[in-house]
Structure formats: structure tokens, C-alpha cells
Amino acid sequence: MQTIRFWTPCEGHVDRRRKWQFPSIIMTMGLLAAPSYALAAVKCPSVGKPVVSLELGSRYESNDKSRSDIDENADAAVDKALKPIDVYVRSLANLSDQSPKASTRDETNRCLYRALSSWADAGALSDLGTLNAKLAISPRVAGMAISYHDAKAVTPPDDEQKKAIETWLQSLGVKLMTFFDEDAPKMASRNNLRAWAGLAVGQIGVATDNDQLSSWGAKTNEMVICSADDDGGLPLEMKRGDKALHYQLHAVGPLVVNAALLNAKFNDSFSVCQGKLDRIVDFTLSALQKPELAAAKAGTEQTFSTGKEKLEPFQIAWLEPYLKFRQSEKATRLAERYRPLSNSNLGGNLTSQYSAKSKK
């Protein structure tokens, strides 16, 4: 079943061509107010109605124990249900992608805070009605937290927005932490899904100065990193049939970005388990060149070999933060081939962000 419920005191939507449309009026404290984009020189885009309730079925064939055989109809239904949230996260990333020195950065950050506070005030994502909804939400929450933290570092929100946004983000972080510690299926509690939860919770902790959440994110990263074999393969991802390399790649993103963003607070984030993260990255990059390396562990030919899958830039956006902390000819060559590298769940255009950081 795929069900979403929206909060609707404020209309405005995104059309099928993903062009921003703007609301004619906004309800604020029960009063009619001028359009939000009239408050600043920058026109704030509508980010859609907050999604309060979400129910998702599985993407996979019901008899597939490896959870690698996609049911095309179910997959499309899940994508459709998640689309309003994905559009929202992309809009936040687009706003936070502005250069810190851009003349409009303060105003775009204020747009971002309006977008976040509108979903916070609605209690967005507070009702996740199915197991699959709880498993799917971590990457989106991670993107929200990273965008907020990036904006906050340049232009602080006002006190009312700060309280609303951070209370909401922390509530999501606590729910994710509790779910993955207590209720998530055994495999999900330790595989790429746990890595994404670690990124989401860890970055909420960093963005809101919550040590409990940031520490949980760091410990989760360490747990998943330490699970890798001596070659750098992640055993739970290598059980995923012909998508083993796909899911290894899906896990590396949050592991690397979390290590990079937590490094200022936990300065050993890249060295846990005798530097196994470097082995994970090296194995992943080597397997992208020679998928048979993953096939040997998975026991079957990989989608990158059979033509079912083609590497996309968003899948390797994590190379930019990795290269900020590590030197790797393999990583450099791959990044140069696919740039610009962007992934809204990892914070947006990481090529431009890390290029700007390297110039500071």
C-alpha cells in the first residue's frame, strides 16, 4: 500500500515539469499574509505541502529473499509516494548550494528556513505507517539536516524558526535512532539502511548541537565500517545477488559523507577499525572498474556488467568529500570523469561545495 497525507493550510505546488510555482496567498497565524517571495529580493520557491503521513510497500518481488529482484509496478508506486518528499529535499539542496559569498546567500537561506519551518510546524513525517516507510526515510532526512547545517553556518535562523526546525529535526532523529536500535529487521539494522540512518541522525546532532544524536551517528558509522571484510567488501551488501555492487555503492555514500562531516567533532572518523573506510572505498572503486571482484563475493554477475545498470554521477557524489581528506588516484580519475557530482540526500552539489571549501 502507498498512502501519503498532506498538511494543507498553504497551497502551492510543483508541476510535472518540476518548475516552481508560487502560492497566491499564505496563511500565517490564521491571517492572510502577502506572498512569501515578496519578503525578499529572492523569490522563495514553493516546496509543496508537508507530507505528514507516509505508507510504503516493498519494491521487491515478494518471494525474493535477497531483496534484489525489483517488482516494476511496486517500484513505480514507491517512487510516486516518495516524490513529494524528494522534490522538497532537492529544493532545500538547491537553496543551500549557493556560494557563501553570493550576494543573495542570506536571502536564499531565509527561503530555506521558511521551507523547513513550514514542514516543522506541520509535524511532517511524524506518521510513518509502515515498515518500508521507516526504512526509506533516512536518506531524505539526511539531506534536510545537511542543508540546514550548511545554511546555519552562514546565516543563523531567527529564534522562532530555530526552535521549530531543531525541535522537529531532533524528533525525527530520536525516532530513527530508536527504530534502528529496537525495531528494524536484523539485516536492515546493520546494512546500508543503517548507514543512511547514521548519516541522518549524526547530521541532525551536528546541526542542532545534540551530542546524543551525533554520537549515535558516529557509532553507527563505526559499526558498519567495521563490518567490512579484509578486502573492503560489506558482507551484507555482498548478499544482494546481482545488485551487490549497487548496494555496496549505496552504503559507501553515507559512510564517507558522515565521516567527513563528523570529522570536526570526532577527529578519528576516518581511522576507525584501522582505517577500514579506505579499504571499503578502494574495493568499491576497483569493483566499478572490474565488477567481477564483487561477483566473486556475490556469486553472480553484477548489474554493472550485464548492462542493467549504468553508473550515474549522483552515485559517486561522495568522492568530493573523500578527496578532501584522502588522496586516491582512482577516486580522482573517476571524479574528473563524472563531475559535477551532486546528490540532494548528501547535501546537493558536492563538487561546487567542496571546491569552494578548498579555496578558503
Side-chain angles (χ1 to χ4, degrees):
M1 177 185 297
Q2 287 79 33
T3 302
I4 54 178
R5 178 165 61 84
F6 297 103
W7 185 74
T8 58
C10 175
E11 294 298 324
H13 64 280
V14 179
D15 70 12
R16 293 183 182 275
R17 295 164 296 176
R18 297 180 183 173
K19 293 182 179 178
W20 295 115
Q21 297 183 0
F22 303 97
S24 58
I25 57 173
I26 292 179
M27 293 295 294
T28 305
M29 300 297 289
L31 300 175
L32 289 177
S36 62
Y37 55 85
L39 300 177
V42 171
K43 292 184 178 180
C44 295
S46 168
V47 293
K49 307 171 194 174
V51 178
V52 178
S53 299
L54 180 68
E55 296 185 2
L56 300 175
S58 173
R59 296 179 184 272
Y60 304 101
E61 297 284 356
S62 58
N63 60 353
D64 175 32
K65 293 183 180 180
S66 71
R67 290 180 66 80
S68 61
D69 292 333
I70 299 291
D71 179 318
E72 292 185 4
N73 291 331
D75 189 46
V78 171
D79 284 344
K80 182 179 180 180
L82 287 171
K83 183 178 179 180
I85 305 170
D86 289 334
V87 169
Y88 175 71
V89 176
R90 282 196 297 272
S91 73
L92 297 181
N94 289 338
L95 289 167
S96 69
D97 274 343
Q98 297 286 325
S99 167
K101 295 182 180 179
S103 60
T104 58
R105 182 61 197 262
D106 286 349
E107 292 176 350
T108 56
N109 282 347
R110 291 187 184 100
C111 289
L112 186 146
Y113 295 141
R114 289 192 194 102
L116 283 167
S117 59
S118 70
W119 279 51
D121 291 341
L125 307 179
S126 60
D127 180 20
L128 302 179
T130 62
L131 172 64
N132 287 293
K134 294 174 183 177
L135 293 173
I137 208 64
S138 293
R140 284 89 187 166
V141 175
M144 297 174 196
I146 296 171
S147 291
Y148 174 62
H149 185 247
D150 287 347
K152 186 180 176 184
V154 178
T155 312
D158 65 42
D159 290 343
E160 185 176 349
Q161 288 176 325
K162 181 176 184 290
K163 181 178 179 180
I165 294 167
E166 297 193 2
T167 298
W168 173 58
L169 288 176
Q170 287 180 4
S171 71
L172 294 178
V174 169
K175 287 180 180 179
L176 283 173
M177 183 172 62
T178 302
F179 170 72
F180 277 92
D181 276 347
E182 300 177 6
D183 301 318
K186 184 176 180 180
M187 186 170 174
S189 70
R190 296 177 294 143
N191 68 3
N192 69 83
L193 294 165
R194 178 66 177 245
W196 280 103
L199 176 62
V201 175
Q203 294 315 304
I204 290 171
V206 170
T208 65
D209 300 313
N210 185 308
D211 288 342
Q212 179 188 18
L213 297 181
S214 57
S215 294
W216 190 89
K219 289 176 182 176
T220 283
N221 231 40
E222 181 175 1
M223 179 186 75
V224 179
I225 289 168
C226 292
S227 74
D229 63 29
D230 290 340
D231 297 327
L234 294 166
L236 291 178
E237 312 312 333
M238 292 299 107
K239 293 181 178 181
R240 304 296 291 274
D242 68 345
K243 290 187 174 62
L245 180 53
H246 169 94
Y247 286 108
Q248 169 93 11
L249 193 58
H250 191 52
V252 174
L255 292 177
V256 168
V257 173
N258 211 16
L261 296 179
L262 289 173
N263 195 67
K265 188 174 182 67
F266 305 98
N267 57 18
D268 61 346
S269 59
F270 276 89
S271 61
V272 297
C273 281
Q274 294 77 49
K276 259 192 178 181
L277 182 56
D278 291 321
R279 274 181 274 169
I280 293 171
V281 169
D282 187 70
F283 173 78
T284 304
L285 297 179
S286 296
L288 286 173
Q289 293 177 329
K290 297 180 179 180
E292 57 267 26
L293 295 174
K297 294 179 182 292
T300 187
E301 194 173 8
Q302 297 298 292
T303 54
F304 288 101
S305 296
T306 61
K308 291 182 180 179
E309 185 169 7
K310 180 180 178 181
L311 184 65
E312 300 288 347
F314 78 89
Q315 294 177 297
I316 52 172
W318 52 269
L319 287 172
E320 302 292 12
Y322 184 75
L323 288 168
K324 175 177 170 57
F325 291 90
R326 291 292 193 264
Q327 292 183 342
S328 165
E329 289 186 10
K330 287 180 188 176
T332 299
R333 287 196 302 269
L334 190 61
E336 289 175 345
R337 180 181 171 190
Y338 283 88
R339 281 176 176 141
L341 304 177
S342 182
N343 186 326
S344 58
N345 292 335
L346 297 177
N349 187 330
L350 299 189
T351 294
S352 65
Q353 290 177 23
Y354 280 86
S355 175
K357 290 176 182 178
S358 68
K359 294 176 182 177
K360 291 183 180 180

